[in-house]
Amino acid sequence: FSTMDLKKEKRFNSYKNIFNEYLDFFHGQIFKSENNFALSYLEKRGINQNIIKEFKLGYVPWQNNFYQKLISNFTEEEISLTGLFYKNDKTKKFIDRFNSRIIFPINNLTGNTIAFGGRIIKESKLAKYINSPETEFYKKGRTVFNLDRAKTLRSEVDEVIIVEGYMDVISLHAAGIKNIISNSGTALTETQIELI
């Protein structure tokens, strides 16, 4: 390995660790009684707690202070590489990009969470869905949602069904159709097709 590779490897490790901590914490939040509207939203859509646990869906409460937790273990630079927070120019505080949203972990082929999709659940002027911004380790046009799970079915089926979004994948998975993937609302790229 060159020092370049080692540095990149080190960056990827802290990137993965931040995503894991973030995911674990907010996955736990969806089961808290004060966030039961998030849980009941998913249950109304036919997504039960087993599926929520399988996909590790989460909920990010408004004005949570998870950034404070992260900053005790990671540097500001490491955290900003993830795109999970943005800095408010006026207050200089870091704001959680996925505030008030259900989050869908987006994994790479080896099953590491490298980005999130987020869906707002209360009526709002905000965009219904947002994605993590592109980062060094997450390129939208090179990532396919749920391909890490669908690829384990290769011995049983030799096809996948491509749908539009996260909820489509999870709803169909809940209904027993497992060879299902999504390009997360972007145009399908050649790289995605090669991956598939």
Side-chain angles (χ1 to χ4, degrees):
F1 274 139
S2 72
T3 41
M4 251 333 250
D5 288 342
L6 287 171
K7 276 187 177 154
K8 188 171 183 177
E9 180 89 5
K10 194 168 173 285
R11 280 200 307 276
F12 186 50
N13 274 329
S14 64
Y15 185 94
K16 274 190 311 200
N17 291 336
I18 291 168
F19 269 93
N20 285 339
E21 286 195 21
Y22 187 96
L23 179 56
D24 284 344
F25 182 79
F26 292 114
H27 176 58
Q29 290 292 310
I30 205 163
F31 299 109
K32 293 257 163 80
S33 56
E34 65 266 26
N35 301 323
N36 63 7
F37 57 89
L39 198 57
S40 60
Y41 168 81
L42 289 170
E43 287 173 341
K44 270 193 206 100
R45 300 280 306 256
I47 294 161
N48 65 31
Q49 293 201 16
N50 290 341
I51 301 284
I52 292 169
K53 286 174 184 158
E54 188 180 342
F55 280 87
K56 257 193 136 173
L57 305 183
Y59 178 70
V60 182
W62 173 245
Q63 292 183 327
N64 66 80
N65 59 355
F66 195 66
Y67 187 86
Q68 284 0 94
K69 252 191 163 112
L70 286 175
I71 202 73
S72 56
N73 297 323
F74 301 96
T75 66
E76 190 176 306
E77 186 189 10
E78 286 173 321
I79 298 170
S80 65
L81 283 177
T82 63
L84 290 169
F85 301 87
Y86 60 90
K87 202 171 194 170
N88 179 318
D89 294 335
K90 284 200 184 93
T91 63
K92 300 288 177 241
K93 276 194 165 156
F94 284 89
I95 313 286
D96 196 313
R97 187 176 298 281
F98 293 102
N99 261 330
S100 308
R101 291 175 185 273
I102 288 174
I103 50 171
F104 303 84
I106 299 169
N107 300 339
N108 63 13
L109 278 177
T110 49
N112 294 306
T113 299
I114 54 167
F116 289 108
R119 190 194 197 286
I120 206 98
I121 34 177
K122 293 189 167 172
E123 279 306 302
S124 166
K125 290 193 173 68
L126 298 170
K128 189 157 73 167
Y129 279 100
I130 59 167
N131 285 320
S132 282
E134 297 219 329
T135 66
E136 180 180 11
F137 303 109
Y138 169 58
K139 303 280 180 259
K140 279 184 192 140
R142 293 167 178 231
T143 311
V144 178
F145 181 66
N146 205 42
L147 194 55
D148 59 313
R149 280 190 191 82
K151 79 181 194 332
T152 63
L153 302 167
R154 280 181 299 203
S155 57
E156 298 159 48
V157 288
D158 59 359
E159 61 186 13
V160 286
I161 301 159
I162 306 176
V163 293
E164 193 185 0
Y166 315 115
M167 283 301 277
D168 303 326
V169 167
I170 293 167
S171 302
L172 285 162
H173 184 94
I177 300 165
K178 306 276 181 19
N179 55 330
I180 191 105
I181 58 175
S182 156
N183 57 330
S184 313
T186 56
L188 200 60
T189 66
E190 279 186 36
T191 315
Q192 285 172 324
I193 292 166
E194 280 167 22
L195 261 180
I196 294 163

